[in-house]
Amino acid sequence: MKRYTPKKLTRSWMFASAAFTLLLLISGITPKAYAEDKKNGQAIAVTGVTARIGSVQRRMTFSGPVVGRDEVPVYSELAQGRIDKILVEAGQHVKAGMVLATIDASSLRIQKAQQQATQQKASVAIKQQENALEEAQVQYSQAQAERQRAEVVAETGLISREVRDQRITSEQLAKARVQAMKNSLSMAQADFNLASAQLAESDLRLNQAEIRSPVSGTVIERKARTGMSLAQNSEPLFNVLRDDDIE
């Protein structure tokens, strides 16, 4: 049987007491509270928690500037004119092709009306030249027939050479008149094409009087103002953040 000396017993007791005290501290119970609970006969409450593996969510906050990844400047395609309406404000979401502002187009509408009248006049001239050409071609056909009959009859001696020469000259004049009518018709068609091109340009300029967003996104800046002259402005009228993409 193993025997312990008084010195060894004292050390063992000290270790046991220290371990018990540490256990109480870990459990959240002070030695004093434990003595009082023991004195009062109350049970010691101990909570056990099972350790497990899991993820810990952390939230980090940073400060710094936020800028758009692709800011698209919007200009007017017209060099002159005044803005008469603003249809969007900064912070508003827009879609590609949406009208942001409009430009006063009164002079453009007047110009278009004049070009429509010019086009209509050219169209009437074409009809007139077509009728004149048709008439000239009929006269030329008659002059050819008369010249051919004159040549046949001249061989028999029933008409003089002078009459035959007149028929030849009439045929040549009729042919020249046909060519002149063709030239006049070509000029009338050219006038009509020019008027149509000018009218198409007026339609384009009227369409450009509506300032549209080239992309979808948020209007982050509006510099356009009602009454602003385009001739005196070189800055973009709007800035649109493409697809609301920021960084």
Side-chain angles (χ1 to χ4, degrees):
M1 183 175 185
K2 189 174 181 180
R3 295 184 178 181
Y4 294 93
T5 62
K7 187 174 181 181
K8 291 182 178 180
L9 289 173
T10 302
R11 289 180 179 177
S12 299
W13 172 252
M14 292 176 61
F15 284 124
S17 178
F20 184 69
T21 302
L22 180 60
L23 178 61
L24 292 177
L25 291 175
I26 293 175
S27 302
I29 304 174
T30 62
K32 183 178 180 180
Y34 171 73
E36 291 179 355
D37 291 342
K38 186 176 181 181
K39 182 178 180 181
N40 297 330
Q42 297 179 357
I44 301 174
V46 179
T47 302
V49 179
T50 303
R52 62 180 180 178
I53 299 176
S55 60
V56 178
Q57 296 183 356
R58 293 184 179 180
R59 179 176 299 174
M60 304 179 70
T61 304
F62 298 92
S63 62
V66 177
V67 297
R69 185 179 296 273
D70 187 10
E71 297 181 8
V72 181
V74 181
Y75 295 87
S76 172
E77 297 183 12
L78 295 178
Q80 295 181 348
R82 290 186 179 276
I83 298 177
D84 59 356
K85 290 182 182 180
I86 305 294
L87 303 179
V88 298
E89 296 293 338
Q92 183 173 342
H93 183 80
V94 297
K95 294 183 178 180
M98 181 175 174
V99 180
L100 308 180
T102 59
I103 300 171
D104 184 13
S106 301
S107 60
L108 295 177
R109 294 188 184 94
I110 294 174
Q111 184 178 6
K112 180 180 178 179
Q114 294 173 344
Q115 291 167 350
Q116 285 176 330
T118 302
Q119 184 190 45
Q120 185 176 4
K121 182 179 179 180
S123 178
V124 172
I126 289 176
K127 294 295 184 182
Q128 292 176 346
Q129 293 301 326
E130 287 177 345
N131 294 333
L133 176 60
E134 184 178 357
E135 181 180 355
Q137 288 174 338
V138 171
Q139 293 176 354
Y140 175 58
S141 297
Q142 293 176 351
Q144 278 184 318
E146 290 179 358
R147 189 262 307 165
Q148 292 174 354
R149 284 195 300 269
E151 289 181 348
V152 172
V153 175
E155 293 178 356
T156 61
L158 296 177
I159 62 173
S160 64
R161 176 176 292 182
E162 289 77 7
V163 174
R164 187 191 63 176
D165 292 342
Q166 290 176 357
R167 302 288 174 83
I168 293 174
T169 302
S170 298
E171 180 189 10
Q172 292 175 347
L173 291 174
K175 183 178 180 180
R177 187 169 183 270
V178 169
Q179 186 59 44
M181 292 300 101
K182 288 182 178 180
N183 294 337
S184 298
L185 178 60
S186 297
M187 292 180 61
Q189 290 174 339
D191 291 340
F192 179 81
N193 294 336
L194 177 60
S196 299
Q198 292 174 342
L199 188 59
E201 182 181 4
S202 293
D203 289 334
L204 176 61
R205 290 168 64 85
L206 282 171
N207 185 57
Q208 291 174 346
E210 295 180 337
I211 303 173
R212 300 177 181 270
S213 176
V215 297
S216 297
T218 300
V219 180
I220 58 177
E221 187 177 20
R222 175 182 74 86
K223 295 183 179 179
R225 302 184 306 275
T226 303
M228 174 186 289
S229 174
L230 298 178
Q232 299 176 356
N233 179 68
S234 59
E235 297 181 343
L237 302 175
F238 299 90
N239 279 317
V240 180
L241 178 60
R242 186 195 297 267
D243 298 329
D244 299 334
D245 192 7
I246 61 175
E247 61 183 2

